[in-house]
Amino acid sequence: MQTRILIIVQNLPVPFDRRVWLECQALTSAGYRVAVVCPKGNGDPGYEVIDGVEIHRYRPYAPGGSKLSFVAEYAYSFLATAWHTLKARRNGRFAVIQACNPPDIFWPIALAFRLERTKFVFDHHDLCPELFLSRFEHPPALPFKGLLWLERRTFRTARHVISTNESYRQIAIERGGKSPGDVTVVRTGPNPDRLKRGPADEELKRGRKHLVAYIGVMGPQDGVDIAVRAAGIIVREFGRDDIAFTLIGSGDSYDELVALRDELNLQGHVEFTGRAPDELVIKIMSTASAGLSPDPKNPLNDVSTMNKTMEYMAFELPVVAFDLRETRVSAQDAAVYATPNDVHEYAKALVGLLDDEAARAQLGKLGRARVEDDLAWSHQERAYLGVYQRLTAKN
């Protein structure tokens, strides 16, 4: 009988969540039966099987961006996840339950399933306490302490922690009290066979010499407003009319960002696509001259790995980023770095890169080589599967 694994994720639907889908594919290829509980995306059915993975979906509930709305959203998500976990259990016992954060609320489900000798793996995607600090200008102390408590309970309940980088691994050990042997780094490496530069589509440049791209979540902590303001500086102050900006993605700040674009009269220069199909993403990335990683320096971003940075590198795009600890670990010499949180310096760094074709080509080659040699998922999945091989050896 195949060993059965359940993966819980609340932040994104599957298979849209690239990291979780790579994990699912790795597990099924290794002979495990995999089920997923996650929210629905637009048009998603409540249940389907894709490539052998059972996907149980619930209708998402996101009442807004206030502090109380997060409590309501997480309470709803916990109850919906618990219900769908019970439904998924009808098809057989789980040897392991893996919960991905944010949020850090699913450890009680893991505790309940200990009665069936189910082990708990925590896939640590984000620092929820720091995420809270980054979203609110003057966050109250009590919710922050509550988030730290939930994080500690998650760490202590987990048999093993999977961290996305070394900074998160140290937090699991120092703040979470985990033994170093119980924490494994598995980066969200891109698939270089799928994410690779193809033919450019000149129409996407909208009549300009350069296309610059952003792809990712558009929340308060992601710095997309910095990219829009930098575009304004480039167009109005630097007098550059040869650069088109295409921003791919969605999130809590999407409407505000479109309004900011319009307020700065950048409609002809900055385009928002919303969430885009893979075919369009590949065309944009294959046409672009640079990729934007405008994440500002804060307690969360400084120690977080930005997936978009590695995706740009897979497409041989030089990266423009602020000088953050983990961004340097990922990109190394494949990026140009601006003084943290300085919009004017960010704009200057971008223009300087666009005006140096040789540097762009060199940085693009370095980024692609780093993905192929070190960061690609094919290198990461060995560590990921090693965790499951150890945990399920006697199941």
Side-chain angles (χ1 to χ4, degrees):
M1 179 180 289
Q2 287 178 299
T3 302
R4 200 152 180 259
I5 310 296
L6 174 70
I7 298 179
I8 293 170
V9 57
Q10 186 269 347
N11 198 38
L12 288 172
V14 173
F16 184 79
D17 188 313
R18 293 186 188 277
R19 176 183 175 89
V20 173
W21 189 240
L22 287 169
E23 292 173 340
C24 291
Q25 291 175 310
L27 289 169
T28 55
S29 296
Y32 296 96
R33 287 180 61 200
V34 181
V36 175
V37 173
C38 66
K40 286 183 180 181
N42 290 334
D44 286 342
Y47 174 79
E48 65 178 326
V49 178
I50 303 178
D51 295 341
V53 179
E54 308 166 27
I55 307 177
H56 302 258
R57 302 188 182 99
Y58 57 87
R59 188 181 301 277
Y61 173 67
S66 69
K67 303 174 187 67
L68 288 178
S69 71
F70 279 106
V71 176
E73 178 184 350
Y74 291 165
Y76 168 84
S77 298
F78 177 84
L79 293 173
T81 297
W83 172 246
H84 282 275
T85 295
L86 291 174
K87 291 173 66 176
R89 170 62 182 83
R90 296 172 186 171
N91 293 328
R93 185 185 80 86
F94 302 119
V96 180
I97 291 178
Q98 172 184 316
C100 312
N101 80 330
D104 297 329
I105 60 173
F106 299 116
W107 53 271
I109 295 175
L111 281 178
F113 275 83
R114 277 186 180 176
L115 297 173
E116 296 188 336
R117 295 177 291 108
T118 299
K119 297 168 183 175
F120 180 44
V121 169
F122 176 38
D123 192 7
H124 193 195
H125 293 190
D126 268 310
L127 298 175
C128 289
E130 283 80 2
L131 177 61
F132 179 75
L133 292 178
S134 72
R135 292 182 71 98
F136 301 106
E137 188 173 351
H138 300 292
L142 187 58
F144 178 69
K145 291 179 180 178
L147 289 170
L148 285 172
W149 182 81
L150 288 171
E151 182 189 73
R152 284 195 299 271
R153 294 306 310 163
T154 302
F155 280 133
R156 291 177 183 179
T157 305
R159 176 70 67 90
H160 202 94
V161 175
I162 297 172
S163 300
T164 54
N165 60 39
E166 287 291 343
S167 295
Y168 277 31
R169 181 174 185 270
Q170 287 306 307
I171 287 170
I173 294 168
E174 295 169 6
R175 196 160 83 189
K178 302 303 293 183
S179 167
D182 292 332
V183 187
T184 300
V185 172
V186 178
R187 295 182 178 275
T188 311
N191 181 346
D193 295 329
R194 189 179 66 82
L195 302 184
K196 59 184 177 182
R197 199 168 185 88
D201 185 342
E202 293 297 320
E203 291 185 4
L204 294 174
K205 294 182 179 180
R206 307 191 291 279
R208 295 184 166 85
K209 180 179 180 180
H210 296 291
L211 175 66
V212 175
Y214 172 91
I215 185 169
V217 178
M218 297 183 176
Q221 72 277 6
D222 297 303
V224 188
D225 60 312
I226 292 173
V228 176
R229 294 184 189 281
I233 291 171
I234 290 168
V235 173
R236 306 300 176 208
E237 185 177 334
F238 298 169
R240 299 290 294 260
D241 195 42
D242 59 340
I243 305 168
F245 296 78
T246 296
L247 312 182
I248 309 165
S250 189
D252 294 343
S253 299
Y254 182 84
D255 292 339
E256 294 175 15
L257 292 165
V258 173
L260 175 62
R261 186 269 313 266
D262 296 346
E263 178 187 331
L264 296 176
N265 295 316
L266 295 171
Q267 294 91 329
H269 295 83
V270 179
E271 177 185 55
F272 287 88
T273 68
R275 286 182 177 172
D278 288 349
E279 295 79 9
L280 178 57
V281 170
I282 291 172
K283 286 183 179 181
I284 292 170
M285 294 298 174
S286 298
T287 307
S289 299
L292 301 176
S293 289
D295 311 87
K297 185 170 185 175
N298 59 38
L300 173 69
N301 290 345
D302 196 39
V303 296
S304 296
T305 298
M306 308 304 172
N307 294 339
K308 57 181 169 286
T309 300
M310 293 184 287
E311 292 187 5
Y312 298 146
M313 293 160 62
F315 282 102
E316 300 179 50
L317 287 178
V319 180
V320 184
F322 288 122
D323 194 356
L324 308 183
R325 185 195 315 177
E326 283 294 337
T327 298
R328 272 198 179 271
V329 171
S330 296
Q332 295 186 356
D333 293 332
V336 293
Y337 300 96
T339 303
N341 306 351
D342 189 322
V343 182
H344 199 274
E345 288 295 317
Y346 194 87
K348 284 176 59 179
L350 174 57
V351 169
L353 179 64
L354 294 179
D355 289 342
D356 191 338
E357 184 176 354
R360 292 202 315 275
Q362 178 65 15
L363 268 61
K365 290 179 180 178
L366 289 172
R368 177 70 187 186
R370 175 145 171 75
V371 168
E372 291 179 349
D373 296 342
D374 298 308
L375 299 176
W377 177 250
S378 58
H379 302 300
Q380 306 302 317
E381 71 175 344
R382 289 194 291 270
Y384 179 71
L385 291 175
V387 171
Y388 277 88
Q389 289 162 359
R390 292 192 297 274
L391 291 178
T392 63
K394 296 180 180 180
N395 280 304

